[in-house]
């Protein structure tokens, strides 16, 4: 294993020798085939050969402020947050869990310095592809390009829908979070969740208490 300050790269062989690694890639390919069942076997083989398996410990940084996001990460396990620094205060912008695509969006697509930080909130394992390999694979395999386009559309729509939450009250935003992303409410700490909602932990606690008293 090759350890860096950006996580630990885990060596693997393909065809697979390790069941755990094989399971990770089975999940990735299944997700891609949901977006395009016609993804070719040749493309799958090359996608796997271009991937790195990286394990991040809690508080490891995937992308730091001022860095260019040069990899797309497919989260296998764990929890990652996107942070932004506004007037010296950090704020949680969003959270990514197992099964999610993890990138610093603007930095990745424009290949410019990131205005946000991607931070592992717990031990996290990802499959990573460098942007150069990603672009080359899209040029070589139209079936993989379709996967990329559909994933981009899917996450863009999610981000667009969430952007409209800003006009809602904190209570309404918490209810929307429970409705659309219930897993996050159990995974994310109260501090990080309050930061995302733009309220204090005390106010979040009061919202939870009122919400569950009404629901019960």
């Amino acid at each position: 294993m090759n350890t860096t300050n950006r996580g630990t790269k885990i060596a693997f062989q393909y065809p697979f020798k390790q069941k755990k690694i094989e399971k990770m890639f089975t999940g990735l390919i299944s997700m891609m085939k949901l977006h395009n069942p016609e993804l070719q076997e040749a493309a799958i083989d090359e996608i796997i050969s271009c991937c790195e398996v990286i394990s991040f410990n809690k508080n490891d940084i995937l992308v730091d402020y001022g860095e260019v996001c040069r990899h797309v990460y497919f989260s296998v396990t764990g929890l990652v947050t996107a942070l932004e620094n506004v007037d010296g205060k950090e704020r949680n912008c969003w959270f990514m869990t197992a099964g999610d695509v993890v990138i610093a969006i603007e930095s990745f697509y424009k290949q410019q310095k990131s205005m946000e930080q991607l931070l592992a909130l717990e031990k996290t394992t990802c499959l990573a592809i460098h942007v150069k390999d990603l672009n080359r694979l899209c040029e070589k395999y139209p079936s993989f390009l379709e996967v990329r386009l559909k994933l981009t559309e899917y996450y863009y729509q999610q981000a667009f829908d969430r952007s409209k939450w800003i006009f809602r009250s904190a209570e309404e935003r918490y209810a929307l979070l429970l409705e659309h992303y219930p897993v996050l409410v159990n995974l994310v700490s109260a501090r990080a969740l309050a930061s995302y909602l733009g309220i204090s932990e005390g106010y979040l606690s009061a919202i939870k208490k009122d919400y569950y008293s009404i629901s019960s």
Side-chain angles (χ1 to χ4, degrees):
M1 294 189 295
N2 178 25
T3 303
T4 70
N5 61 353
R6 289 294 188 267
T8 301
K9 294 181 182 180
I10 302 172
F12 69 93
Q13 291 178 299
Y14 182 67
F16 298 112
K17 304 292 185 182
Q18 302 150 283
K19 291 294 183 182
K20 186 176 180 180
I21 298 294
E22 183 176 8
K23 186 177 180 181
M24 293 180 188
F25 280 97
T26 298
L28 173 64
I29 299 306
S30 295
M31 178 272 286
M32 290 182 174
K33 284 193 170 183
L34 281 176
H35 293 283
N36 184 8
E38 304 302 319
L39 185 65
Q40 304 124 291
E41 288 301 317
I44 291 171
D45 288 341
E46 202 161 344
I47 290 166
I48 293 171
S49 70
C50 289
C51 277
E52 293 179 319
V53 181
I54 307 178
S55 176
F56 298 95
N57 290 320
K58 182 178 180 179
N59 294 326
D60 274 358
I61 295 171
L62 285 72
V63 178
D64 206 354
Y65 297 112
E67 292 181 350
V68 178
C69 181
R70 301 195 188 280
H71 289 83
V72 55
Y73 298 95
F74 300 95
S75 178
V76 178
T77 62
L79 179 65
V80 176
T81 187
L83 296 164
E84 66 175 5
N85 193 308
V86 180
D87 298 327
K89 294 182 179 180
E90 277 195 325
R91 183 179 77 87
N92 294 82
C93 303
W94 189 235
F95 308 95
M96 291 141 283
T97 61
D100 281 335
V101 173
V102 180
I103 55 172
I105 297 173
E106 189 171 14
S107 174
F108 181 79
Y109 284 113
K110 295 183 179 180
Q111 284 299 285
Q112 65 183 27
K113 292 181 179 180
S114 178
M115 299 297 290
E116 60 185 1
Q117 181 188 79
L118 298 182
L119 181 74
L121 293 179
E122 61 183 44
K123 189 171 180 62
T124 298
T125 301
C126 295
L127 305 178
I129 301 180
H130 194 280
V131 64
K132 288 183 179 179
D133 290 320
L134 186 73
N135 291 336
R136 178 179 58 79
L137 288 167
C138 287
E139 290 178 5
K140 187 174 181 179
Y141 299 104
S143 62
F144 182 60
L145 174 61
E146 184 175 342
V147 171
R148 182 180 184 177
L149 292 174
K150 287 187 175 180
L151 279 171
T152 301
E153 180 182 359
Y154 172 75
Y155 281 101
Y156 174 82
Q157 185 63 54
Q158 281 195 335
F160 176 74
D161 290 342
R162 290 196 305 269
S163 71
K164 293 184 287 186
W165 295 6
I166 194 172
F167 302 109
R168 304 293 190 95
S169 68
E171 291 82 359
E172 289 173 323
R173 280 181 281 143
Y174 180 75
L176 286 166
L177 200 63
L178 275 174
E179 179 183 352
H180 296 284
Y181 304 95
V183 173
L184 288 180
V185 177
N186 294 320
L187 285 178
V188 177
S189 69
R191 180 180 180 182
L193 199 58
S195 171
Y196 169 70
L197 293 171
I199 58 178
S200 68
E201 286 185 64
Y203 192 12
L204 175 60
S205 179
I207 290 174
K208 285 182 176 181
K209 185 177 179 180
D210 289 344
Y211 182 87
Y212 289 111
S213 65
I214 293 171
S215 301
S216 60

